Amino acid sequence: KNQVEQSPQSLIILEGKNCTLQCNYTVSPFSNLRWYKQDTGRGPVSLTIMTFSENTKSNGRYTATLDADTKQSSLHITASQLSDSASYICVVSETGSSGGYNKLIFGAGTRLAVHP
Amino acid sequence: ETGVTQTPRHLVMGMTNKKSLKCEQHLGHNAMYWYKQSAKKPLELMFVYNFKEQTENNSVPSRFSPECPNSSHLFLHLHTLQPEDSALYLCASSLLAGESPNEQFFGPGTRLTVL
């Protein structure tokens, strides 16, 4: 069964500190992996996307890594800000779905709270 | 803004009411999606439309009825819902799988509460 598991479920850090969120997946066939940020009451917004051949991708203070052999990804946030408080969702795209679209397998998300 | 709008943003309804959720995308995409997001659970895909044709119904109860009049608009008609249907309903759009990029862009969602 295709699954995406994220840890921790929730995290509290102080402003200015770094943190790392984890994602393990068992999705096959694999197309790509995305990290989304979802603010409370809003829709998810894409932060990074990585294909099978990519090991790391940065977007400002966000850096994602991908190990396709172990099927693990991480999202590292540097010098956290209060506006980083949100849910971070790991999403793996499965190729070969019928209907002309790539099926997305969502993790349950990590809820991050950045405190002053 | 992602280019995908949803209305209303909040909706409270009784179990005997009939209401509709609306989604509009301004991105020129040809695929649209409805997702349900319950607290602390992963997003659940409900329906997929490609070029106005429904290509996936993920075992969704018939009390949810989608409508896609054109590739820019998507509706979700609701009737005789249950309290457990209370959730955030998200609309998304994308290009089809063979067209790059086919990233899904999400709307802000409709927070639905069923009393």
Side-chain angles (χ1 to χ4, degrees), chain B residues 37-48:
Chain B
Q37 187 176 33
S38 303
K40 298 184 179 180
K41 293 175 66 175
L43 271 72
E44 303 171 49
L45 179 65
M46 299 175 72
F47 301 103
V48 181

Side-chain angles (χ1 to χ4, degrees), chain B:
Chain B
E1 296 301 325
T2 62
V4 181
T5 59
Q6 289 187 243
T7 55
R9 295 295 312 279
H10 301 271
L11 177 63
V12 179
M13 59 187 290
M15 289 190 285
T16 58
N17 292 157
K18 290 184 179 181
K19 296 288 184 182
S20 295
L21 310 184
K22 179 183 176 181
C23 174
E24 184 174 359
Q25 59 96 1
H26 313 273
L27 301 168
H29 290 162
N30 41 36
M32 297 188 76
Y33 312 78
W34 278 117
Y35 288 91
K36 176 184 179 182
Q37 187 176 33
S38 303
K40 298 184 179 180
K41 293 175 66 175
L43 271 72
E44 303 171 49
L45 179 65
M46 299 175 72
F47 301 103
V48 181
Y49 276 82
N50 290 340
F51 289 111
K52 306 187 300 178
E53 299 298 321
Q54 187 180 125
T55 57
E56 177 125 4
N57 176 337
N58 205 22
S59 302
V60 180
S62 59
R63 57 185 184 269
F64 295 91
S65 175
E67 178 190 359
C68 189
N70 54 62
S71 57
S72 297
H73 294 84
L74 186 64
F75 295 89
L76 188 62
H77 304 300
L78 316 171
H79 64 97
T80 59
L81 294 191
Q82 304 299 312
E84 59 265 28
D85 296 322
S86 299
L88 182 68
Y89 288 85
L90 291 163
C91 173
S93 72
S94 76
L95 295 173
L96 291 176
E99 302 168 3
S100 180
N102 64 343
E103 174 184 351
Q104 291 185 25
F105 291 80
F106 288 85
T110 295
R111 172 66 63 185
L112 174 67
T113 302
V114 181
L115 301 177

Side-chain angles (χ1 to χ4, degrees), chain A residues 38-74:
Chain A
Q38 185 176 20
D39 292 312
T40 301
R42 308 289 297 182
V45 176
S46 180
L47 292 175
T48 63
I49 175 174
M50 288 181 291
T51 60
F52 184 87
S53 59
E54 295 177 292
N55 300 120
T56 185
K57 184 72 70 76
S58 291
N59 177 1
R61 295 179 296 103
Y62 300 102
T63 299
T65 65
L66 175 64
D67 185 332
D69 292 330
T70 62
K71 298 187 176 181
Q72 296 180 323
S73 177
S74 67

